[in-house]
Amino acid sequence: MKKLFIVANWKMNGSKKSNEQLINYINEKIYENPNIEVIICPPFTYLTQITKLKTKSIKMGAQNISESQNGAFTGEISGSILQDMSVDYVIIGHSERRQMYNDTNAVIAQKFESAHQNNLIPILCVGESLNERKTGKTLSVVESQIKSVIESTRIELFTKSIIAYEPVWAIGTGETASPEQAEEVHSNIRSIIEEYDSNIATSIPILYGGSVNGANCKDLFKMNNINGGLIGGASLNEEEFVEIYQKAERLINE
Ligand code: PEP
């Protein structure tokens, strides 16, 4: 039976009031299940609030990490601070950070290393733009994004890491990759990792992200090489997010 990961990326959204409502609702509907990992990634400032509100069936994630360890880096948050705040996971290389904050492959590799140095599990995001898909570059773009991290760090670090395939054209657009389109890239990601280590290639969770919702998640999660979803917009809607969780639960029990 495969394990599914349901990761909520709240991005720069929320308020103390709306967070409380959302987490209370999720707490009521989500049960501890060894085959489903629910991870909430709120803005940094709400980490403490969510940690206090959540039940233990929910894990905490951050949306970013500094590539530096500590010191004079105004406005940054280090891996050791995240660890101190009881964070378990961290999203690295989200396309919004690659595009808007100059997170290059080199910086992403440093952040990936820093996550591991602080016992955080990185969720490494990769994915092509619309133009790259249209010009047949999807697989080569994803390959270079993954290989640049492997070659700047070590393949062993991927034993305790997650990859999220997020086609840029599907993020926040309402347009989802078809299960077959996603599966093609996911299985290709396993082949890339297999060049380095076949055990890691089989075991690493690979999530799909890009307009996942209650209606389309089941067909995506059913695919052999898809181990759950990284969910943006739909994670801010309590009913939609719980519907995704419940569909995952049904799939696990089928
Ligand atoms: C994301 O933020 O990683 C994401 C996939 O967003 P959305 O679900 O809104 O497309």
Side-chain angles (χ1 to χ4, degrees), residues 1-5 89 121-122 155-163 186-187 189-191 193-194 196-207 224-228:
M1 188 188 295
K2 71 177 177 180
K3 180 168 177 167
L4 291 173
F5 292 77
Y89 294 88
I121 300 179
I155 187 62
E156 290 72 27
L157 296 186
F158 283 75
T159 310
K160 238 187 152 198
S161 299
I162 294 176
I163 293 176
H186 284 228
S187 96
I189 291 173
R190 290 204 198 280
S191 309
I193 308 245
E194 185 145 30
Y196 300 84
D197 187 305
S198 59
N199 289 332
I200 299 174
T202 316
S203 62
I204 189 164
I206 307 176
L207 318 187
N224 275 343
N225 290 295
I226 301 186
N227 306 98

Side-chain angles (χ1 to χ4, degrees), residues 12-248:
M12 199 173 69
N13 293 294
S15 66
K16 283 191 282 184
K17 194 165 170 231
S18 66
N19 299 345
E20 187 169 346
Q21 193 181 320
L22 189 47
I23 294 296
N24 285 344
Y25 186 86
I26 297 171
N27 280 341
E28 268 175 42
K29 308 277 180 185
I30 283 179
Y31 303 97
E32 225 177 334
N33 184 332
N35 297 312
I36 307 183
E37 185 98 319
V38 175
I39 304 163
I40 306 279
C41 306
F44 288 134
T45 47
Y46 294 132
L47 284 168
T48 309
Q49 185 202 12
I50 309 305
T51 304
K52 282 191 193 145
L53 281 174
K54 75 176 188 65
T55 61
K56 65 177 168 50
S57 18
I58 298 173
K59 295 280 192 298
M60 295 303 299
Q63 298 174 19
N64 188 27
I65 181 175
S66 171
E67 64 273 38
S68 306
Q69 292 307 311
N70 51 46
F73 301 99
T74 303
E76 289 291 286
I77 301 286
S78 68
S80 61
I81 293 175
L82 293 176
Q83 193 187 30
D84 197 31
M85 299 304 288
S86 308
V87 169
D88 309 291
Y89 294 88
V90 59
I91 298 172
I92 293 179
H94 192 282
S95 61
E96 287 154 16
R97 294 216 54 93
R98 289 181 189 264
Q99 285 170 351
M100 293 187 271
Y101 301 98
N102 204 25
D103 276 11
T104 59
N105 281 336
V107 168
I108 287 162
Q110 289 170 4
K111 292 185 174 197
F112 187 84
E113 178 91 53
S114 179
H116 280 285
Q117 282 166 356
N118 293 287
N119 289 322
L120 301 162
I121 300 179
I123 302 171
L124 174 65
C125 300
V126 297
E128 81 288 4
S129 66
L130 183 58
N131 186 44
E132 286 161 343
R133 174 156 284 266
K134 281 187 177 157
T135 51
K137 296 192 188 116
T138 298
L139 299 181
S140 65
V141 167
V142 168
E143 180 174 4
S144 73
Q145 288 170 332
I146 293 177
K147 284 194 170 170
S148 72
V149 176
I150 298 176
E151 281 164 23
S152 310
T153 63
R154 309 171 283 300
I155 187 62
E156 290 72 27
L157 296 186
F158 283 75
T159 310
K160 238 187 152 198
S161 299
I162 294 176
I163 293 176
Y165 167 57
E166 297 211 303
V168 179
W169 48 271
I171 297 180
T173 58
E175 200 180 330
T176 319
S178 68
E180 294 72 25
Q181 279 175 321
E183 175 67 10
E184 184 197 11
V185 179
H186 284 228
S187 96
N188 200 263
I189 291 173
R190 290 204 198 280
S191 309
I192 294 161
I193 308 245
E194 185 145 30
E195 290 176 34
Y196 300 84
D197 187 305
S198 59
N199 289 332
I200 299 174
T202 316
S203 62
I204 189 164
I206 307 176
L207 318 187
Y208 168 78
S211 300
V212 174
N213 57 35
N216 60 28
C217 63
K218 194 171 173 204
D219 289 337
L220 287 158
F221 297 171
K222 261 200 288 202
M223 304 308 280
N224 275 343
N225 290 295
I226 301 186
N227 306 98
L230 178 49
I231 298 140
S235 71
L236 294 166
N237 177 312
E238 55 196 32
E239 284 166 10
E240 190 86 32
F241 187 66
V242 165
E243 187 183 342
I244 296 171
Y245 168 83
Q246 288 169 339
K247 296 255 169 84

